[in-house]
Amino acid sequence: MASPAPTLSLVVPVYNEAAGLDAFVARTRAVLDGLGLPWEIVFVDDGSRDVSVVTLLAARERDARLKVVELSRNFGKEVALAAGLDHADGEAVIPIDADLQHPPELIPELVAAWRAGSDMVIAVRRNARQEGWARRSASRLFDRLFRRVASVDLPVGAGDFRLLSAPVVRALRKLPERARFMKGLYAWVGFRYTTVPYAVEPRAGGTSGHDGGRLWRLALDGITAFSAVPLKAASVIGFLIALVALLYGAYLVVKTLVLGIDVPGYASTITLVLFLGGLQLIGLGVLGEYVARIYDEVKGRPLYVVRARHGVDGSDAP
Ligand code: UDP
Ligand code: MG
């Protein structure tokens, strides 16, 4: 007998989360069962190296509403989310982290706001993030910068935890780009949204997959596997040279004023040469950033590769 189509889908990217998965399932299932509507949870295993998949499949044995998409390797959270959206059948889809930093107890509030007519219900962080000072300020700085340059509507404290109605999910599925910055894409598709505040919780277990060391290794992998990254070094070098040239120029001006001229025109010439050289490298670097992205998109590789599906069909997946 076929079960009724799920009304609510949770999409959970999973990367090395074995330690906390059972707790996540228990806590989330209690909340979902209280809602009194059909539901499913689509776990996307993002190439975990631990026993996450085994844990998930064991949980699925006990409850067929838990579904699993296994990616062939680690593609990163943004891509795992895209894969999850492609495999979710619900009329409403809620992306949520597996580490219980997004409290599942908020889900009834998200659903209520959706029922009241919102296309998208965004859970916004009320407290400071749990990640320590450096990362917190970096992310705040980035958010501010992004809001300014991208001219999209990005509520303060918004992340991936939110409810997306079916039209929003369909719009997101149509976005073909490989450079998937989900927060920006959510904003780009538009729709009417409301916000619901929540308090970020500490990680339930395991470690963050987004630590600095991992990002650094990823950057190195990128350089060796795809040769576009050296282009980008030009912008950094350009900035440094331009900065040094400015300081040196200021020094030469002061020195000339105090000690007199040693070679006529020397100060201004060397300053200009260095400064313009720096500016040109910045320009080249920026160009490189864009060319690299065009190169990436033009190859047209699929966003992700599925190793196995358990309980979901891939008919909406590319
Ligand atoms: N995650 C993923 N792929 C990755 C890194 C993380 O699917 O390459 C998942 C992870 O399992 C979790 C969510 O994305 O469910 C958030 O990751 P994490 O807690 O490591 O990030 P943070 O909360 O520190 O931003
Ligand atoms: Mg986390």
Side-chain angles (χ1 to χ4, degrees), residues 47-250:
S48 295
R49 289 163 193 279
D50 64 358
V51 293
S52 290
V53 176
V54 179
T55 313
L56 288 174
L57 292 181
R60 177 172 159 69
E61 294 267 292
R62 299 187 291 268
D63 187 342
R65 294 172 296 181
L66 310 179
K67 299 166 182 184
V68 183
V69 178
E70 288 178 56
L71 300 186
S72 61
R73 63 171 169 84
N74 181 244
F75 283 87
K77 181 188 177 185
E78 314 283 308
V79 171
L81 274 180
L85 292 184
D86 288 342
H87 289 84
D89 284 333
E91 291 150 39
V93 179
I94 300 181
I96 183 170
D97 282 1
D99 55 10
L100 285 172
Q101 287 196 281
H102 300 157
E105 288 72 23
L106 195 73
I107 291 172
E109 269 185 75
L110 299 179
V111 171
W114 168 56
R115 288 258 158 88
S118 297
D119 300 313
M120 180 148 48
V121 189
I122 306 174
V124 293
R125 291 184 293 273
R126 191 155 24 79
N127 59 342
R129 297 172 67 135
Q130 309 282 322
E131 283 114 5
W133 179 83
R135 183 168 167 180
R136 214 164 52 232
S137 16
S139 102
R140 206 163 4 188
L141 189 72
F142 172 81
D143 276 5
R144 199 176 298 164
L145 197 72
F146 184 79
R147 243 190 305 276
R148 175 157 300 179
V149 298
S151 65
V152 294
D153 188 4
L154 201 71
V156 178
D160 285 309
F161 190 25
R162 56 181 75 207
L163 181 146
L164 312 165
S165 63
V168 177
V169 174
R170 276 197 296 274
L172 286 171
R173 279 183 192 157
K174 285 209 189 93
L175 300 179
E177 53 253 75
R178 305 189 40 75
R180 295 195 83 81
F181 177 59
M182 283 311 285
K183 261 200 292 187
L185 296 181
Y186 293 134
W188 184 88
V189 295
F191 291 94
R192 256 180 294 174
Y193 70 80
T194 44
T195 58
V196 173
Y198 78 102
V200 184
E201 296 185 14
R203 232 176 187 285
T207 49
S208 170
H210 287 123
D211 58 6
R214 181 153 192 274
L215 291 176
W216 177 246
R217 274 198 304 281
L218 271 177
L220 286 183
D221 282 348
I223 292 173
T224 51
F226 307 88
S227 58
V229 172
L231 282 171
K232 303 174 182 185
S235 58
V236 177
I237 295 167
F239 267 114
L240 290 180
I241 289 180
L243 190 70
V244 170
L246 269 181
L247 295 176
Y248 187 52

